[in-house]
Amino acid sequence: MTFAATPEERRKLAARFAILSVDLLEARFTIRRDTAGIVANGHVTAKVVQACSVTDEPLTATIEEPVALRFVDNFGAVEGEIELSDDALDTVPIDGGAVDLGEAAAETLALALDPFPRGPNAAAAPACRRGDQRG
């Protein structure tokens, strides 16, 4: 299954994630059922524009992220500690009887964003001093 966010969806995602723009968001998933739920493996590709955390200049970034999720009905049913293996999947609750792969792609994008992007001019930007009204 392959899908891409529409221009309106990308605009809303940019606002939701407080970035300048989402120019591309595509996802590719394979889906299968196993004994614990529904497994979705795939890949998210995105092109975004974020503001430099120092200078506010626009910075373009390309995101390529693998995705491996298990959607389950009884998300909070297990109590106590659980040992996770190296191949353990992130577990996501099934919401309203449906698996939302669009939201999974959006959350993958959000987690892949640089929280403090710095452009090439960030090091040359003057440091703001306490009480400095110019910065």
Side-chain angles (χ1 to χ4, degrees):
M1 162 181 283
T2 302
F3 58 90
T6 66
E8 178 65 14
E9 291 167 332
R10 294 192 320 262
R11 185 190 64 72
K12 288 179 179 178
L13 288 171
R16 176 177 164 187
F17 301 142
I19 61 176
L20 300 177
S21 69
V22 176
D23 297 333
L24 171 76
L25 176 59
E26 295 177 341
R28 184 178 65 251
F29 288 99
T30 57
I31 311 279
R32 67 179 170 79
R33 182 173 288 281
D34 73 4
T35 57
I38 298 170
V39 175
N41 288 297
H43 192 86
V44 170
T45 300
K47 293 184 188 292
V48 300
V49 180
Q50 294 180 264
C52 173
S53 60
V54 176
T55 65
D56 265 351
E57 63 190 319
L59 302 172
T60 302
T62 299
I63 293 170
E64 298 284 345
E65 285 292 315
V67 183
L69 303 169
R70 175 173 283 117
F71 292 87
V72 297
D73 281 320
N74 299 320
F75 184 66
V78 177
E79 293 185 22
E81 271 190 47
I82 301 172
E83 282 291 323
L84 296 177
S85 64
D86 289 339
D87 61 345
L89 303 176
D90 287 335
T91 302
V92 180
I94 293 176
D95 187 24
V99 172
D100 190 345
L101 294 175
E103 181 60 21
E107 289 177 7
T108 299
L109 167 61
L111 291 170
L113 291 172
D114 184 345
F116 300 104
R118 293 176 60 91
N121 298 321
C128 288
R129 293 183 306 255
R130 189 178 198 143
D132 187 351
Q133 299 301 314
R134 294 175 287 156

